[in-house]
Amino acid sequence: MKTAIRTIVGTVALFVLGYSAVPRETPAPQQSGTSVAADDARKNAELLAMGRELFVKRCASCHNERGDKPLSNGLPLAERSLTREQIVRNVGGRLRSATDEQRRGVVLYIESFLKNKHL
């Protein structure tokens, strides 16, 4: 009887020790909210810089770099009360040849200097 108990205990011990020695995949660490937010902030900063560059290249001759040039048909761009939808529609019409990402950047840039934000 003692031999059977020793055999069982030995088998269980080997199973437990063997199981714990088996290498297991460790899950990839989850990104914390902070690093996700930092990635979003970095992406927005890159889009904003790209949008500024394209706006200066394609739009500043009429609007100035910060949209503060008075227009013959109304207020400067920076002083208009525009919704995001209006900005998106106008940018999409004026910059048809630009990529979606470039247009998003220009929209972000325009939103950054609007004085009357109705976004």
Side-chain angles (χ1 to χ4, degrees):
M1 176 88 167
K2 286 185 177 182
T3 308
I5 292 175
R6 284 185 188 157
T7 305
I8 292 172
V9 170
T11 304
V12 169
L14 284 174
F15 177 77
V16 170
L17 290 173
Y19 180 76
S20 65
V22 173
R24 292 186 262 315
E25 284 187 42
T26 55
Q30 296 290 324
Q31 283 188 327
S32 68
T34 308
S35 63
V36 171
D39 287 345
D40 288 346
R42 181 187 50 79
K43 181 66 173 168
N44 277 346
E46 290 171 2
L47 277 174
L48 187 62
M50 180 190 342
R52 179 188 177 281
E53 183 180 332
L54 187 56
F55 184 89
V56 168
K57 182 178 176 183
R58 301 274 307 271
C59 310
S61 62
C62 293
H63 295 289
N64 278 350
E65 184 176 333
R66 297 288 300 163
D68 55 3
K69 183 178 180 181
L71 302 172
S72 61
N73 63 349
L75 294 171
L77 179 58
E79 294 178 20
R80 294 180 181 213
S81 296
L82 300 171
T83 64
R84 173 169 287 182
E85 291 77 26
Q86 290 171 317
I87 298 168
V88 168
R89 186 176 58 244
N90 285 309
V91 167
R94 300 277 187 212
L95 301 174
R96 281 185 288 277
S97 63
T99 66
D100 288 342
E101 187 174 47
Q102 288 172 321
R103 287 192 294 267
R104 276 194 306 274
V106 172
V107 168
L108 278 176
Y109 181 67
I110 292 171
E111 289 173 345
S112 76
F113 64 67
L114 284 181
K115 295 176 183 172
N116 302 316
K117 299 183 190 263
H118 293 282
L119 312 172

